[in-house]
Amino acid sequence: MQPDDLDARLVQLLTDHPQLPILECARRLGVARGTVTSRLARLQAGGVISAIVPQVDPAGFGYDLVAFCSVDIIQNIGHEPVTEAILAAIPEVTDLYTVTGDHDLHLRVVARNGQDLQDVLDRISQLPGVARTSSSLALRTHIQGRTLPLLHAVTDSTS
Amino acid sequence: MQPDDLDARLVQLLTDHPQLPILECARRLGVARGTVTSRLARLQAGGVISAIVPQVDPAGFGYDLVAFCSVDIIQNIGHEPVTEAILAAIPEVTDLYTVTGDHDLHLRVVARNGQDLQDVLDRISQLPGVARTSSSLALRTHIQGRTLPLLHAVTDSTS
DNA sequence: GGTGAAAGGTCATTAAG
DNA sequence: CTTAATGACCTTTCACC
């Protein structure tokens, strides 16, 4: 679907003020309450808004280390068994992608400290189907999961 | 902070049923209403719950291509100017990390299609301070931003 | 547990593309 | 003619005491 400028401003407003009532949103955007309601419904139906749920941050309970890990898979094994094994066995894996390039899988993992990270990477390496892993530590997270600038860019160029 | 099993079940409940009233949460968890309220407040204050906001999914408005890009920075330039330039100029960058290893920065970018992706990568390459980029395309997103399994693992071993 | 107040869902009307 | 916005009604629910 194609969101417009009003959609972008609505999402921005809700992002800045998480629990702002719909009536207040309508007031600040200068539209009727029903408009805000229908827009929200349309955004959710269209998949632009995937969910409105509590965002759990692992750093909040000690997992403040982030690393990226590339996994090579043993040749004659499919991707599925390996990805399923990783997802099932390693809760520290927050993101898992099949990628092109030098390696097969790309994952983002979190850990409590260096020792814990080594343990996590070891557990991944020892999973059946995993041939080799290589990793790099995130020294600093400049931004993570930002999407609003893109949404604004799209709606600005549209209007 | 250290969340316990009740915290994990509360977050799980709210994740499964996004707009479940607090009273209903208390009923299903078998605790008093005030308990749920105070738990939620504590989780937010402690940073375990970072926010409860609409999750914007770029795939919802056409950006269904995901790629990872490694950036090498020109030696005598600091990281800050480059990261700031990237964040300011390229809205397609959703994640940006300073990392250890063969490269300096690790980013996640989204695009509308292959041609659009090439354009995005070109724009990154041409930013001042960027020496070189290399990228890999995500063929499949198995999981992204999952944290609940980790939360459950932590609280299970704690209890 | 009771009470005041506000939020959200629904609908008919109206304006606009 | 289709689509969307408006404003008001009504029911339900929440937070407070």
Side-chain angles (χ1 to χ4, degrees), chain A residues 3-13 25-26 28-32 35-36 38-39 42-43 151-152 155-156 159:
Chain A
D4 66 0
D5 184 59
L6 180 62
D7 293 316
R9 283 190 294 143
L10 173 59
V11 174
Q12 181 75 57
L13 194 62
C25 293
R28 298 197 189 186
L29 295 174
V31 296
T35 305
V36 175
S38 62
R39 288 305 183 103
R42 215 181 53 179
L43 287 171
L151 180 58
H152 281 294
T155 57
D156 283 355
S159 60

Side-chain angles (χ1 to χ4, degrees), chain B residues 21-24 37:
Chain B
I22 291 182
L23 182 64
E24 182 62 24
T37 306

Side-chain angles (χ1 to χ4, degrees), chain A residues 8 13-14 23 47 76 102 106 108 111 116 141 151 157:
Chain A
L13 194 62
L14 283 173
L23 182 62
N76 33 347
D102 297 335
H106 175 77
R108 178 180 181 273
D116 188 32
T141 300
L151 180 58
S157 63

Side-chain angles (χ1 to χ4, degrees), chain B residues 59-75:
Chain B
F61 50 96
Y63 287 77
D64 55 354
L65 227 63
V66 176
F68 297 97
C69 178
S70 294
V71 171
D72 296 357
I73 295 179
I74 293 175
Q75 288 297 337

Side-chain angles (χ1 to χ4, degrees), chain A residues 154 157, chain B residues 61-65 92 110-117 120:
Chain A
V154 169
S157 63
Chain B
F61 50 96
Y63 287 77
D64 55 354
L65 227 63
E92 287 90 349
V110 295
R112 279 180 283 238
N113 51 58
Q115 198 168 359
D116 187 33
L117 176 61
V120 173

Side-chain angles (χ1 to χ4, degrees), chain B residues 110-139:
Chain B
V110 295
R112 279 180 283 238
N113 51 58
Q115 198 168 359
D116 187 33
L117 176 61
Q118 185 182 353
D119 177 57
V120 173
L121 295 174
D122 281 347
R123 276 170 18 228
I124 295 173
S125 300
Q126 288 160 14
L127 285 175
V130 173
R132 193 173 170 279
T133 68
S134 63
S135 57
S136 87
L137 187 65
L139 299 173

Side-chain angles (χ1 to χ4, degrees), chain B residues 14-146:
Chain B
L14 284 173
T15 302
D16 294 339
H17 311 279
Q19 280 162 351
L20 201 66
I22 291 182
L23 182 64
E24 182 62 24
C25 292
R27 202 170 294 140
R28 299 198 189 186
L29 294 173
V31 297
R33 292 155 285 193
T35 306
V36 174
T37 306
S38 62
R39 287 304 183 106
L40 273 178
R42 213 182 56 180
L43 287 170
Q44 285 191 276
V48 175
I49 293 179
S50 56
I52 307 181
V53 294
Q55 305 250 40
V56 176
D57 182 7
F61 50 96
Y63 287 77
D64 55 354
L65 227 63
V66 176
F68 297 97
C69 178
S70 294
V71 171
D72 296 357
I73 295 179
I74 293 175
Q75 288 297 337
N76 33 347
I77 295 186
H79 280 201
E80 251 64 29
V82 181
T83 57
E84 283 173 19
I86 293 175
L87 289 178
I90 320 285
E92 287 90 349
V93 172
T94 65
D95 300 66
L96 173 57
Y97 302 85
T98 295
V99 293
T100 66
D102 297 334
H103 306 285
D104 298 311
L105 302 178
H106 175 76
L107 29 166
R108 178 181 182 273
V109 303
V110 295
R112 279 180 283 238
N113 51 58
Q115 198 168 359
D116 187 33
L117 176 61
Q118 185 182 353
D119 177 57
V120 173
L121 295 174
D122 281 347
R123 276 170 18 228
I124 295 173
S125 300
Q126 288 160 14
L127 285 175
V130 173
R132 193 173 170 279
T133 68
S134 63
S135 57
S136 87
L137 187 65
L139 299 173
R140 180 170 167 195
T141 300
H142 299 278
I143 202 77
Q144 186 211 339
R146 77 160 182 178

